[in-house]
Amino acid sequence: MNTLSIDFQPFVEWDNSPFVLFSNQGKILYLNNAAEILFGYVSKQELYDIALAYAPQSFGYKTTTLTLSYDSFNFYAVTVGYENEEHISIRFYNTPRVKPSAPLESGKLMTTDINILLEANIALFKTKNSNKLQLLTDQDIPSFKIDQNNFSKLLRKVLDAFRSSDSINISLKLLIGEHVIILDKKEPIVQLSIEANGRYNDTDAEIRMLANQSHISVLLKEHVIKLEIPLIQ
């Protein structure tokens, strides 16, 4: 087969693994859709520095296992390659999402306005806590199907982890260009982020379990908890 006649660029463009081609001066010559989204969370210089740090010592390609996290992006490896002195490329490998422990029980799902559900649980949190709280949400997020009881339990656990924080920032937004496969269907993702100057981690295992039951991806860090919620219609 004569592969010279095949245009491979669309295959790179469709890949959900970020791919970037740099010049030897660090200028971006090409990036796919996934990389374009990634650049909303990390600088061009940082990714170029990573490419240089993990480049092979001679012409060719080298794959390195490592852990990188940028907001909702989590990677377990990179491949860096160059065939001349003018260009260098880097490809990031997404860390697989944790597979839910049980199938989604569609009978438990109710069409829900997530803003109303979030505000109700925040109001409940405020009855026992006087923390300064700032809420920024996208009111245009459409109602979608979710297990209200399980999600409310998850919210209460997440908020309680910040019970001693001086100030809590909460944001709710639709992740543009990102999706997850639920019941063989591509679904958009809503991200709920709760951030403060610190938090308790004694209930992290329960938070992971509750999130897993609702097919929600959770990111637990020292100062922030992020929930990526499938927008199931």
Side-chain angles (χ1 to χ4, degrees):
M1 179 184 293
N2 181 13
T3 58
L4 295 178
S5 63
I6 300 175
D7 180 8
F8 289 95
Q9 184 170 323
F11 295 93
V12 178
E13 195 66 32
W14 299 331
D15 193 350
N16 64 358
S17 298
F19 175 87
V20 187
L21 178 65
F22 291 103
S23 72
N24 58 3
Q25 301 298 317
K27 180 181 178 181
I28 296 174
L29 301 177
Y30 171 79
L31 72 165
N32 64 2
N33 286 330
E36 189 172 352
I37 297 171
L38 176 61
F39 275 115
Y41 304 99
V42 61
S43 69
K44 174 187 69 174
Q45 186 61 48
E46 183 170 348
L47 296 194
Y48 181 62
D49 289 343
I50 291 172
L52 294 181
Y54 293 98
Q57 294 184 351
S58 58
F59 294 140
Y61 296 85
K62 176 185 174 184
T63 298
T64 304
T65 300
L66 76 173
T67 300
L68 292 172
S69 295
Y70 302 105
D71 197 77
S72 59
F73 286 89
N74 296 286
F75 306 111
Y76 72 90
V78 295
T79 292
V80 180
Y82 60 99
E83 296 180 339
N84 55 55
E85 299 288 351
E86 303 298 320
H87 311 126
I88 185 170
S89 67
I90 183 168
R91 182 179 187 268
F92 296 82
Y93 295 88
N94 295 299
T95 301
R97 291 177 179 268
V98 176
K99 186 176 181 179
S101 57
L104 194 65
E105 298 182 51
S106 56
K108 289 186 176 181
L109 305 184
M110 296 182 62
T111 301
T112 303
D113 184 327
I114 192 172
N115 279 291
I116 293 176
L117 191 59
L118 175 60
E119 289 169 6
N121 280 277
I122 289 174
L124 183 62
F125 176 76
K126 285 183 174 180
T127 63
K128 299 179 181 179
N129 301 273
S130 58
N131 319 60
K132 181 181 177 183
L133 194 150
Q134 182 174 347
L135 176 63
L136 179 63
T137 68
D138 181 354
Q139 295 294 330
D140 292 329
I141 294 175
S143 295
F144 59 94
K145 293 180 180 180
I146 196 168
D147 184 336
Q148 292 184 357
N149 290 333
N150 188 78
F151 186 64
S152 289
K153 289 178 185 178
L154 175 60
L155 280 179
R156 289 195 291 271
K157 289 291 182 183
V158 169
L159 290 169
D160 192 58
F162 295 94
R163 58 190 179 273
S164 295
S165 301
D166 297 328
S167 179
I168 304 172
N169 294 312
I170 302 175
S171 66
L172 181 71
K173 64 181 180 180
L174 183 68
L175 294 182
I176 304 299
E178 298 187 44
H179 67 271
V180 64
I181 304 298
I182 301 290
L183 299 176
D184 298 322
K185 183 181 176 184
K186 184 186 294 187
E187 303 287 4
I189 299 173
V190 174
Q191 183 188 80
L192 176 63
S193 175
I194 301 93
E195 186 172 3
N197 58 352
R199 68 176 186 86
Y200 292 102
N201 59 12
D202 53 322
T203 58
D204 280 6
E206 293 178 75
I207 289 172
R208 287 192 182 95
M209 179 190 69
L210 290 167
N212 184 267
Q213 289 173 354
S214 289
H215 290 233
I216 293 172
S217 176
V218 60
L219 175 67
L220 298 165
K221 291 190 174 182
E222 182 179 358
H223 301 289
V224 64
I225 296 177
K226 293 185 178 182
L227 304 177
E228 292 189 357
I229 308 155
L231 199 159
I232 301 173
Q233 295 292 334

mmCIF file of all heavy atoms in Angstrom, residues 130-161:
data_model
loop_
_atom_site.group_PDB
_atom_site.id
_atom_site.type_symbol
_atom_site.label_atom_id
_atom_site.label_comp_id
_atom_site.label_asym_id
_atom_site.label_seq_id
_atom_site.Cartn_x
_atom_site.Cartn_y
_atom_site.Cartn_z
ATOM 1 N N SER A 130 -20.518 28.726 58.829
ATOM 2 C CA SER A 130 -20.567 30.165 58.542
ATOM 3 C C SER A 130 -19.458 30.594 57.583
ATOM 4 O O SER A 130 -19.133 31.779 57.490
ATOM 5 C CB SER A 130 -20.452 30.956 59.851
ATOM 6 O OG SER A 130 -19.238 30.615 60.536
ATOM 7 N N ASN A 131 -18.881 29.655 56.869
ATOM 8 C CA ASN A 131 -17.788 29.968 55.941
ATOM 9 C C ASN A 131 -18.252 30.970 54.889
ATOM 10 O O ASN A 131 -19.389 30.930 54.415
ATOM 11 C CB ASN A 131 -17.305 28.705 55.220
ATOM 12 C CG ASN A 131 -17.224 27.486 56.117
ATOM 13 O OD1 ASN A 131 -18.229 27.071 56.670
ATOM 14 N ND2 ASN A 131 -16.043 26.906 56.250
ATOM 15 N N LYS A 132 -17.337 31.862 54.493
ATOM 16 C CA LYS A 132 -17.610 32.746 53.362
ATOM 17 C C LYS A 132 -17.649 31.887 52.102
ATOM 18 O O LYS A 132 -16.747 31.082 51.866
ATOM 19 C CB LYS A 132 -16.525 33.809 53.246
ATOM 20 C CG LYS A 132 -16.743 34.782 52.100
ATOM 21 C CD LYS A 132 -15.614 35.803 52.029
ATOM 22 C CE LYS A 132 -15.805 36.736 50.839
ATOM 23 N NZ LYS A 132 -14.671 37.696 50.720
ATOM 24 N N LEU A 133 -18.670 32.063 51.294
ATOM 25 C CA LEU A 133 -18.853 31.191 50.136
ATOM 26 C C LEU A 133 -19.197 32.011 48.899
ATOM 27 O O LEU A 133 -20.073 32.872 48.947
ATOM 28 C CB LEU A 133 -19.962 30.174 50.438
ATOM 29 C CG LEU A 133 -20.111 28.970 49.515
ATOM 30 C CD1 LEU A 133 -20.666 27.787 50.291
ATOM 31 C CD2 LEU A 133 -21.043 29.294 48.362
ATOM 32 N N GLN A 134 -18.486 31.741 47.817
ATOM 33 C CA GLN A 134 -18.743 32.406 46.541
ATOM 34 C C GLN A 134 -19.173 31.365 45.514
ATOM 35 O O GLN A 134 -18.503 30.350 45.328
ATOM 36 C CB GLN A 134 -17.498 33.137 46.042
ATOM 37 C CG GLN A 134 -17.718 33.896 44.739
ATOM 38 C CD GLN A 134 -16.508 34.724 44.337
ATOM 39 O OE1 GLN A 134 -15.598 34.934 45.124
ATOM 40 N NE2 GLN A 134 -16.500 35.186 43.100
ATOM 41 N N LEU A 135 -20.304 31.633 44.863
ATOM 42 C CA LEU A 135 -20.868 30.685 43.907
ATOM 43 C C LEU A 135 -20.954 31.324 42.525
ATOM 44 O O LEU A 135 -21.510 32.412 42.364
ATOM 45 C CB LEU A 135 -22.261 30.249 44.363
ATOM 46 C CG LEU A 135 -23.054 29.326 43.431
ATOM 47 C CD1 LEU A 135 -22.346 27.993 43.257
ATOM 48 C CD2 LEU A 135 -24.470 29.116 43.960
ATOM 49 N N LEU A 136 -20.385 30.650 41.533
ATOM 50 C CA LEU A 136 -20.448 31.107 40.155
ATOM 51 C C LEU A 136 -20.920 29.941 39.296
ATOM 52 O O LEU A 136 -20.230 28.932 39.174
ATOM 53 C CB LEU A 136 -19.074 31.587 39.673
ATOM 54 C CG LEU A 136 -18.984 32.074 38.219
ATOM 55 C CD1 LEU A 136 -19.864 33.300 38.019
ATOM 56 C CD2 LEU A 136 -17.540 32.380 37.838
ATOM 57 N N THR A 137 -22.126 30.069 38.722
ATOM 58 C CA THR A 137 -22.678 28.958 37.939
ATOM 59 C C THR A 137 -23.169 29.437 36.584
ATOM 60 O O THR A 137 -23.433 30.621 36.379
ATOM 61 C CB THR A 137 -23.857 28.283 38.673
ATOM 62 O OG1 THR A 137 -24.965 29.192 38.727
ATOM 63 C CG2 THR A 137 -23.464 27.879 40.076
ATOM 64 N N ASP A 138 -23.286 28.483 35.682
ATOM 65 C CA ASP A 138 -23.851 28.731 34.353
ATOM 66 C C ASP A 138 -25.338 28.385 34.416
ATOM 67 O O ASP A 138 -25.712 27.220 34.452
ATOM 68 C CB ASP A 138 -23.124 27.866 33.324
ATOM 69 C CG ASP A 138 -23.638 28.085 31.908
ATOM 70 O OD1 ASP A 138 -24.627 28.825 31.737
ATOM 71 O OD2 ASP A 138 -23.056 27.501 30.974
ATOM 72 N N GLN A 139 -26.173 29.407 34.434
ATOM 73 C CA GLN A 139 -27.614 29.196 34.548
ATOM 74 C C GLN A 139 -28.222 28.629 33.272
ATOM 75 O O GLN A 139 -29.393 28.228 33.265
ATOM 76 C CB GLN A 139 -28.308 30.522 34.915
ATOM 77 C CG GLN A 139 -27.936 31.060 36.281
ATOM 78 C CD GLN A 139 -28.416 30.190 37.428
ATOM 79 O OE1 GLN A 139 -29.438 29.509 37.314
ATOM 80 N NE2 GLN A 139 -27.685 30.185 38.537
ATOM 81 N N ASP A 140 -27.442 28.582 32.198
ATOM 82 C CA ASP A 140 -27.955 28.064 30.924
ATOM 83 C C ASP A 140 -27.759 26.557 30.782
ATOM 84 O O ASP A 140 -28.141 25.985 29.754
ATOM 85 C CB ASP A 140 -27.272 28.777 29.752
ATOM 86 C CG ASP A 140 -27.678 30.246 29.652
ATOM 87 O OD1 ASP A 140 -28.819 30.565 30.030
ATOM 88 O OD2 ASP A 140 -26.844 31.058 29.210
ATOM 89 N N ILE A 141 -27.139 25.916 31.779
ATOM 90 C CA ILE A 141 -26.992 24.458 31.711
ATOM 91 C C ILE A 141 -28.388 23.836 31.721
ATOM 92 O O ILE A 141 -29.182 24.096 32.626
ATOM 93 C CB ILE A 141 -26.163 23.931 32.891
ATOM 94 C CG1 ILE A 141 -24.718 24.430 32.793
ATOM 95 C CG2 ILE A 141 -26.180 22.394 32.923
ATOM 96 C CD1 ILE A 141 -23.859 24.052 33.983
ATOM 97 N N PRO A 142 -28.721 23.023 30.736
ATOM 98 C CA PRO A 142 -30.070 22.453 30.682
ATOM 99 C C PRO A 142 -30.282 21.401 31.768
ATOM 100 O O PRO A 142 -29.318 20.838 32.301
ATOM 101 C CB PRO A 142 -30.123 21.820 29.289
ATOM 102 C CG PRO A 142 -28.700 21.477 28.982
ATOM 103 C CD PRO A 142 -27.866 22.569 29.611
ATOM 104 N N SER A 143 -31.526 21.148 32.092
ATOM 105 C CA SER A 143 -31.846 20.065 33.023
ATOM 106 C C SER A 143 -31.418 18.737 32.401
ATOM 107 O O SER A 143 -31.486 18.558 31.184
ATOM 108 C CB SER A 143 -33.346 20.049 33.316
ATOM 109 O OG SER A 143 -33.738 21.234 33.994
ATOM 110 N N PHE A 144 -30.952 17.821 33.226
ATOM 111 C CA PHE A 144 -30.534 16.512 32.727
ATOM 112 C C PHE A 144 -30.825 15.455 33.781
ATOM 113 O O PHE A 144 -31.203 15.764 34.917
ATOM 114 C CB PHE A 144 -29.059 16.508 32.321
ATOM 115 C CG PHE A 144 -28.099 16.877 33.432
ATOM 116 C CD1 PHE A 144 -27.501 15.889 34.208
ATOM 117 C CD2 PHE A 144 -27.773 18.203 33.674
ATOM 118 C CE1 PHE A 144 -26.620 16.214 35.215
ATOM 119 C CE2 PHE A 144 -26.884 18.548 34.692
ATOM 120 C CZ PHE A 144 -26.306 17.556 35.466
ATOM 121 N N LYS A 145 -30.646 14.200 33.402
ATOM 122 C CA LYS A 145 -31.010 13.086 34.278
ATOM 123 C C LYS A 145 -29.863 12.737 35.229
ATOM 124 O O LYS A 145 -28.725 12.604 34.812
ATOM 125 C CB LYS A 145 -31.392 11.868 33.439
ATOM 126 C CG LYS A 145 -32.666 12.052 32.629
ATOM 127 C CD LYS A 145 -32.995 10.812 31.821
ATOM 128 C CE LYS A 145 -34.277 10.998 31.016
ATOM 129 N NZ LYS A 145 -34.618 9.800 30.211
ATOM 130 N N ILE A 146 -30.238 12.585 36.512
ATOM 131 C CA ILE A 146 -29.251 12.254 37.523
ATOM 132 C C ILE A 146 -29.964 11.582 38.696
ATOM 133 O O ILE A 146 -31.169 11.791 38.904
ATOM 134 C CB ILE A 146 -28.489 13.526 37.984
ATOM 135 C CG1 ILE A 146 -27.209 13.156 38.732
ATOM 136 C CG2 ILE A 146 -29.381 14.424 38.846
ATOM 137 C CD1 ILE A 146 -26.282 14.338 38.953
ATOM 138 N N ASP A 147 -29.233 10.774 39.446
ATOM 139 C CA ASP A 147 -29.765 10.183 40.674
ATOM 140 C C ASP A 147 -29.702 11.259 41.755
ATOM 141 O O ASP A 147 -28.646 11.521 42.332
ATOM 142 C CB ASP A 147 -28.936 8.961 41.071
ATOM 143 C CG ASP A 147 -29.486 8.225 42.281
ATOM 144 O OD1 ASP A 147 -30.196 8.857 43.088
ATOM 145 O OD2 ASP A 147 -29.198 7.027 42.436
ATOM 146 N N GLN A 148 -30.830 11.913 42.022
ATOM 147 C CA GLN A 148 -30.843 13.059 42.923
ATOM 148 C C GLN A 148 -30.370 12.704 44.328
ATOM 149 O O GLN A 148 -29.601 13.467 44.936
ATOM 150 C CB GLN A 148 -32.240 13.666 42.982
ATOM 151 C CG GLN A 148 -32.691 14.326 41.686
ATOM 152 C CD GLN A 148 -34.041 14.996 41.826
ATOM 153 O OE1 GLN A 148 -34.683 14.938 42.873
ATOM 154 N NE2 GLN A 148 -34.492 15.649 40.764
ATOM 155 N N ASN A 149 -30.831 11.580 44.858
ATOM 156 C CA ASN A 149 -30.462 11.213 46.227
ATOM 157 C C ASN A 149 -28.966 10.959 46.350
ATOM 158 O O ASN A 149 -28.303 11.458 47.263
ATOM 159 C CB ASN A 149 -31.242 9.968 46.669
ATOM 160 C CG ASN A 149 -32.711 10.250 46.872
ATOM 161 O OD1 ASN A 149 -33.105 11.381 47.172
ATOM 162 N ND2 ASN A 149 -33.548 9.230 46.706
ATOM 163 N N ASN A 150 -28.429 10.180 45.428
ATOM 164 C CA ASN A 150 -27.005 9.857 45.487
ATOM 165 C C ASN A 150 -26.154 11.111 45.270
ATOM 166 O O ASN A 150 -25.144 11.321 45.951
ATOM 167 C CB ASN A 150 -26.655 8.809 44.431
ATOM 168 C CG ASN A 150 -25.240 8.292 44.582
ATOM 169 O OD1 ASN A 150 -24.950 7.471 45.430
ATOM 170 N ND2 ASN A 150 -24.336 8.787 43.745
ATOM 171 N N PHE A 151 -26.595 11.967 44.318
ATOM 172 C CA PHE A 151 -25.820 13.170 44.035
ATOM 173 C C PHE A 151 -25.856 14.137 45.223
ATOM 174 O O PHE A 151 -24.857 14.783 45.534
ATOM 175 C CB PHE A 151 -26.354 13.852 42.774
ATOM 176 C CG PHE A 151 -25.522 15.027 42.340
ATOM 177 C CD1 PHE A 151 -24.209 14.850 41.935
ATOM 178 C CD2 PHE A 151 -26.041 16.309 42.337
ATOM 179 C CE1 PHE A 151 -23.429 15.928 41.527
ATOM 180 C CE2 PHE A 151 -25.282 17.385 41.936
ATOM 181 C CZ PHE A 151 -23.971 17.199 41.537
ATOM 182 N N SER A 152 -26.992 14.232 45.906
ATOM 183 C CA SER A 152 -27.082 15.096 47.088
ATOM 184 C C SER A 152 -26.165 14.584 48.204
ATOM 185 O O SER A 152 -25.503 15.371 48.895
ATOM 186 C CB SER A 152 -28.522 15.175 47.586
ATOM 187 O OG SER A 152 -29.323 15.920 46.688
ATOM 188 N N LYS A 153 -26.102 13.259 48.389
ATOM 189 C CA LYS A 153 -25.175 12.686 49.362
ATOM 190 C C LYS A 153 -23.735 13.045 49.014
ATOM 191 O O LYS A 153 -22.935 13.389 49.878
ATOM 192 C CB LYS A 153 -25.338 11.162 49.407
ATOM 193 C CG LYS A 153 -26.621 10.667 50.032
ATOM 194 C CD LYS A 153 -26.683 9.142 49.975
ATOM 195 C CE LYS A 153 -28.013 8.608 50.495
ATOM 196 N NZ LYS A 153 -28.092 7.121 50.384
ATOM 197 N N LEU A 154 -23.418 12.943 47.719
ATOM 198 C CA LEU A 154 -22.077 13.278 47.251
ATOM 199 C C LEU A 154 -21.766 14.750 47.516
ATOM 200 O O LEU A 154 -20.685 15.088 48.014
ATOM 201 C CB LEU A 154 -21.962 12.964 45.758
ATOM 202 C CG LEU A 154 -20.665 13.370 45.058
ATOM 203 C CD1 LEU A 154 -19.463 12.690 45.684
ATOM 204 C CD2 LEU A 154 -20.746 13.035 43.563
ATOM 205 N N LEU A 155 -22.708 15.643 47.205
ATOM 206 C CA LEU A 155 -22.499 17.067 47.436
ATOM 207 C C LEU A 155 -22.266 17.365 48.912
ATOM 208 O O LEU A 155 -21.388 18.167 49.268
ATOM 209 C CB LEU A 155 -23.705 17.862 46.938
ATOM 210 C CG LEU A 155 -23.801 18.133 45.435
ATOM 211 C CD1 LEU A 155 -25.076 18.911 45.131
ATOM 212 C CD2 LEU A 155 -22.585 18.899 44.939
ATOM 213 N N ARG A 156 -23.036 16.727 49.782
ATOM 214 C CA ARG A 156 -22.889 16.983 51.213
ATOM 215 C C ARG A 156 -21.505 16.540 51.706
ATOM 216 O O ARG A 156 -20.874 17.224 52.521
ATOM 217 C CB ARG A 156 -23.997 16.276 51.994
ATOM 218 C CG ARG A 156 -25.375 16.904 51.789
ATOM 219 C CD ARG A 156 -26.376 16.441 52.836
ATOM 220 N NE ARG A 156 -26.726 15.030 52.677
ATOM 221 C CZ ARG A 156 -27.724 14.598 51.912
ATOM 222 N NH1 ARG A 156 -28.463 15.461 51.215
ATOM 223 N NH2 ARG A 156 -28.001 13.306 51.839
ATOM 224 N N LYS A 157 -21.037 15.393 51.217
ATOM 225 C CA LYS A 157 -19.703 14.923 51.596
ATOM 226 C C LYS A 157 -18.613 15.867 51.091
ATOM 227 O O LYS A 157 -17.651 16.172 51.803
ATOM 228 C CB LYS A 157 -19.467 13.512 51.048
ATOM 229 C CG LYS A 157 -20.271 12.415 51.726
ATOM 230 C CD LYS A 157 -19.811 12.190 53.148
ATOM 231 C CE LYS A 157 -20.592 11.048 53.789
ATOM 232 N NZ LYS A 157 -20.202 10.843 55.221
ATOM 233 N N VAL A 158 -18.772 16.319 49.849
ATOM 234 C CA VAL A 158 -17.781 17.214 49.258
ATOM 235 C C VAL A 158 -17.742 18.541 50.011
ATOM 236 O O VAL A 158 -16.667 19.038 50.373
ATOM 237 C CB VAL A 158 -18.086 17.438 47.766
ATOM 238 C CG1 VAL A 158 -17.227 18.570 47.216
ATOM 239 C CG2 VAL A 158 -17.832 16.163 46.969
ATOM 240 N N LEU A 159 -18.893 19.138 50.252
ATOM 241 C CA LEU A 159 -18.939 20.418 50.959
ATOM 242 C C LEU A 159 -18.400 20.283 52.375
ATOM 243 O O LEU A 159 -17.682 21.163 52.871
ATOM 244 C CB LEU A 159 -20.364 20.961 50.978
ATOM 245 C CG LEU A 159 -20.904 21.454 49.633
ATOM 246 C CD1 LEU A 159 -22.410 21.718 49.724
ATOM 247 C CD2 LEU A 159 -20.178 22.710 49.192
ATOM 248 N N ASP A 160 -18.714 19.175 53.031
ATOM 249 C CA ASP A 160 -18.262 18.978 54.403
ATOM 250 C C ASP A 160 -16.743 18.879 54.497
ATOM 251 O O ASP A 160 -16.161 19.194 55.541
ATOM 252 C CB ASP A 160 -18.903 17.711 54.988
ATOM 253 C CG ASP A 160 -18.703 17.603 56.489
ATOM 254 O OD1 ASP A 160 -19.129 18.538 57.215
ATOM 255 O OD2 ASP A 160 -18.115 16.602 56.955
ATOM 256 N N ALA A 161 -16.110 18.458 53.409
ATOM 257 C CA ALA A 161 -14.652 18.387 53.412
ATOM 258 C C ALA A 161 -14.012 19.771 53.562
ATOM 259 O O ALA A 161 -12.853 19.888 53.964
ATOM 260 C CB ALA A 161 -14.162 17.723 52.119
#
